[in-house]
Amino acid sequence: MKIKELVVIIDFGGQYTHLIARRVRQLNVYSEIVPYDRADVETIKRMNPKGIILSGGPRSVYLSNSPKVDRCIFSLGVPILGICYGHQLIAYMFGGKVIKSKGEYGRAILKIYDKDDLFQGLDDREVVWMSHRDSVIEVPKGFKVLASTEVTPIAAFKSEVLPIYGIQFHPEVIHTPKGLRILSNFLFKVCKCKPTWKPADLVPQLIEEIKKKVKPDERVLCAVSGGVDSTTTAVLVHKAIGDRLVAVFVDHGLLRKGEPEFVVNTLRRLGLNLIHVDARKRFLDKLKGVSDPEEKRKIIGNEFIRVFEEVAKKIPNLRWLAQGTIYPDVIESGRIGAGSARIKSHHNVGGLPKSMKLKLLEPLRYFYKDEVREIARSLGLPDEIVKRHPFPGPGLAVRIIGEVNEEKLRIVREASAIVEEELKEAGLYDKVWQAFAVVGDDKWVGVVGDERKVGYIVIVRIVESIDAMTADWVRIPYNILDKISRRITSELENVTMVTYAITSKPPSTIEPC
């Protein structure tokens, strides 16, 4: 994509790096992440950023093998903000002193001595979120202290001659209430950015890029699930190349209640050239006896590829596979960022077998979910697609803990439908990020009529989020939870207990497997 203005975020392996990127975009400034080991000065020059943010990270800057940044970057004249590890790195590389301290975790009171541009509009004392073991105890020559906390004497500093700032706390997390204001000050007061980043405005460019990539005699195969990501991808490609796009919807037997019929009807109404593949038996046969969640994901991903290979053989001049990969998919699969961990495998970012000989088309891979929804609305997609809750590619297999079998599939499918129905009835469905049921192998003793009965435990999970990078459990009114519980235990055979998941992400993930 061609972007007029951007802010580069240099990633040192911090758990919040991509949340920083999301917050910058939330302020209508495009951000792009570059791993520290690829952030040489020539690369940064070519990107021509309006500002640079140095992320947090798990290492100690004073260790010989700790990640560093090209020193020449500090001479570019581009405003720089270091956060946590980035804060310590700036101090260390300019000759300040960083040591292992007793650390500071959780909420802290920031005492601001000099508001400069960075803290404009803030009070003299603000709540911030700390998460560090090392501390800057001496600023470099030519730097001044802007703020401190009770534990951290140098919680923020600034160069007296260069537009370089460091802050020890995390402005990107919701636990720093004025964090967005601080980032806004950096972007607009220090970097002089303009709030021009609007994903929907890029639709013509995305379509044009697809036209340039796909030659006039080539065809594209698009995996479409009916979710907003894959459907938006298919519509974008269709607008670019018309019926040379072949959309393939695979029913792997792991979909939500009524989903196959809904998806097929919707995609055909959108005018897509659709192939519907009923592969329920082959997927479920492959999953028999498999309990490990990563193995289940890999089996499903591999079987998807095999299905597409079979379809592809029947399509002349097929050269491309289009996928609805978005930024969090790439992030959680460990495909971006030096030292980033793979949290879970995503079937749509695992790469293609060489035998398939198709090039990959992923027009949405650098967009977050809410940005994809903006693009979808601008393309005229119906609300039934735009507002649908995220659903994993491997489907209900990741909401079944342990082996996938017909009974657990029935329970999780029906229970999830009940959760969605009750949220819609209460007017809450569109106000939460995701809501579903989970079932595992654990059982609970119940009483049905006058008899003792052992049945499954159903876990209800309802979360709120902006981009799925972080999430919090939703405080659903008790009367709604009560109705969900009573319906599940009364309507579903062999369920004797319903629980509600109240763990946020992190430390938990949204999906159980």
Side-chain angles (χ1 to χ4, degrees):
M1 295 182 301
K2 294 180 181 178
I3 305 295
K4 291 181 180 178
E5 290 188 354
L6 71 98
V7 168
V8 169
I9 298 165
I10 298 180
D11 180 20
F12 296 98
Q15 62 175 320
Y16 297 132
T17 299
H18 300 281
L19 185 54
I20 298 171
R22 182 63 196 89
R23 294 291 183 245
V24 172
R25 293 191 190 189
Q26 189 177 337
L27 291 165
N28 299 115
V29 176
Y30 181 70
S31 61
E32 196 163 308
I33 296 166
V34 179
Y36 75 89
D37 56 352
R38 300 180 212 163
D40 58 277
V41 70
E42 292 304 319
T43 296
I44 301 301
K45 278 184 180 178
R46 284 195 299 272
M47 297 179 78
N48 192 29
K50 294 282 287 187
I52 297 170
I53 297 177
L54 308 181
S55 84
R59 306 297 297 278
S60 294
V61 297
Y62 45 77
L63 298 178
S64 60
N65 62 346
S66 64
K68 302 292 193 297
V69 71
D70 190 330
R71 186 179 293 274
C72 295
I73 287 172
F74 296 113
S75 302
L76 293 176
V78 177
I80 295 174
L81 173 64
I83 296 175
C84 197
Y85 181 89
H87 161 85
Q88 297 163 13
L89 184 62
I90 292 170
Y92 182 80
M93 293 185 72
F94 275 87
K97 192 171 182 180
V98 182
I99 65 167
K100 184 176 182 179
S101 63
K102 69 177 183 178
E104 192 174 17
Y105 299 91
R107 289 179 175 84
I109 300 298
L110 185 74
K111 301 174 185 177
I112 302 173
Y113 308 121
D114 186 339
K115 294 190 178 179
D116 195 77
D117 284 333
L118 196 64
F119 297 131
Q120 284 297 310
L122 275 68
D123 294 330
D124 293 340
R125 294 172 183 263
E126 294 284 358
V127 174
V128 297
W129 185 261
M130 289 285 192
S131 181
H132 67 103
R133 171 63 64 184
D134 295 335
S135 296
V136 178
I137 62 166
E138 185 178 311
V139 294
K141 185 178 180 180
F143 283 69
K144 62 179 180 180
V145 178
L146 299 179
S148 67
T149 69
E150 185 177 348
V151 175
T152 304
I154 304 173
F157 60 66
K158 181 203 173 185
S159 166
E160 295 182 23
V161 294
L162 298 170
I164 298 176
Y165 296 80
I167 54 177
Q168 181 59 70
F169 58 92
H170 289 274
E172 69 275 19
V173 301
I174 60 173
H175 308 299
T176 300
K178 300 283 184 66
L180 209 58
R181 179 62 184 267
I182 295 168
L183 289 174
S184 176
N185 285 339
F186 177 68
L187 295 175
F188 304 122
K189 293 183 180 297
V190 179
C191 301
K192 308 300 181 185
C193 292
K194 296 177 182 177
T196 57
W197 165 249
K198 296 179 181 179
D201 292 345
L202 294 172
V203 167
Q205 185 185 141
L206 293 172
I207 292 171
E208 192 60 33
E209 287 176 357
I210 294 168
K211 286 180 180 179
K212 289 179 180 178
K213 286 182 179 179
V214 182
K215 296 177 182 178
D217 62 339
E218 294 179 335
R219 303 187 78 186
V220 178
L221 182 70
C222 184
V224 186
S225 68
V228 67
D229 305 331
S230 62
T231 307
T232 302
T233 297
V235 172
L236 277 171
V237 177
H238 184 258
K239 284 186 176 294
I241 66 170
D243 283 344
R244 287 189 288 131
L245 166 74
V246 179
V248 179
F249 170 64
V250 179
D251 181 357
H252 51 22
L254 303 165
L255 298 171
R256 289 171 283 196
K257 185 176 181 180
E259 192 160 31
E261 299 81 6
F262 166 78
V263 171
V264 170
N265 291 335
T266 302
L267 296 180
R268 284 182 175 151
R269 283 201 307 271
L270 289 170
L272 298 181
N273 180 13
L274 181 67
I275 294 176
H276 176 200
V277 180
D278 185 348
R280 288 174 292 181
K281 186 178 186 305
R282 64 188 287 179
F283 274 87
L284 296 181
D285 286 347
K286 289 283 184 181
L287 290 169
K288 282 182 180 176
V290 180
S291 297
D292 180 74
E294 274 295 293
E295 189 177 352
K296 285 192 288 187
R297 285 177 174 270
K298 288 175 181 176
I299 287 171
I300 293 166
N302 289 336
E303 200 61 24
F304 263 114
I305 293 296
R306 292 191 183 97
V307 171
F308 295 140
E309 284 179 316
E310 293 167 10
V311 174
K313 289 176 183 177
K314 303 174 184 178
I315 302 172
N317 300 320
L318 184 64
R319 297 291 182 270
W320 295 85
L321 176 67
Q323 295 187 146
T325 307
I326 64 171
Y327 218 10
D329 298 337
V330 178
I331 294 162
E332 291 200 334
S333 297
R335 291 271 297 274
I336 288 182
S340 60
R342 177 172 58 82
I343 298 170
K344 60 181 73 167
S345 297
H346 287 262
H347 75 279
N348 57 338
V349 290
L352 298 172
K354 292 180 180 179
S355 60
M356 200 163 181
K357 297 179 181 177
L358 293 181
K359 293 173 283 187
L360 206 53
L361 197 61
E362 297 174 314
L364 301 176
R365 68 180 283 110
Y366 291 109
F367 292 94
Y368 290 95
K369 178 74 74 173
D370 59 314
E371 295 173 328
V372 174
R373 286 190 169 121
E374 286 184 44
I375 293 170
R377 288 188 182 95
S378 73
L379 290 168
L381 269 65
D383 280 351
E384 293 88 346
I385 293 291
V386 175
K387 294 182 178 181
R388 291 188 89 201
H389 285 182
F391 189 62
L396 298 177
V398 301
R399 294 175 181 174
I400 292 174
I401 301 170
E403 182 185 0
V404 176
N405 59 43
E406 292 289 351
E407 184 172 37
K408 287 198 282 186
L409 259 177
R410 171 186 60 82
I411 290 171
V412 77
R413 182 176 285 125
E414 294 294 333
S416 291
I418 289 171
V419 172
E420 290 193 359
E421 287 167 12
E422 291 304 324
L423 290 182
K424 288 175 181 176
E425 177 69 23
L428 294 175
Y429 180 84
D430 293 339
K431 296 179 181 179
V432 304
W433 176 263
Q434 212 165 348
F436 54 88
V438 175
V439 68
D441 293 318
D442 291 341
K443 302 287 185 73
W444 193 279
V445 176
V447 179
V448 179
D450 294 322
E451 297 182 355
R452 179 182 186 274
K453 186 172 184 178
V454 176
Y456 284 97
I457 300 170
V458 168
I459 303 167
V460 174
R461 178 78 156 144
I462 305 173
V463 298
E464 56 188 1
S465 180
I466 295 174
D467 47 38
M469 297 309 302
T470 61
D472 195 11
W473 62 280
V474 180
R475 279 66 172 171
I476 294 292
Y478 290 155
N479 64 309
I480 298 172
L481 289 176
D482 176 58
K483 191 173 181 183
I484 288 171
S485 175
R486 285 188 288 108
R487 281 195 61 190
I488 290 174
T489 52
S490 63
E491 295 177 23
L492 304 187
E493 189 178 355
N494 292 335
V495 175
T496 53
M497 170 63 72
V498 175
T499 65
Y500 189 52
I502 59 169
T503 307
S504 299
K505 175 186 179 180
S508 175
T509 54
I510 294 176
E511 299 282 357
C513 299

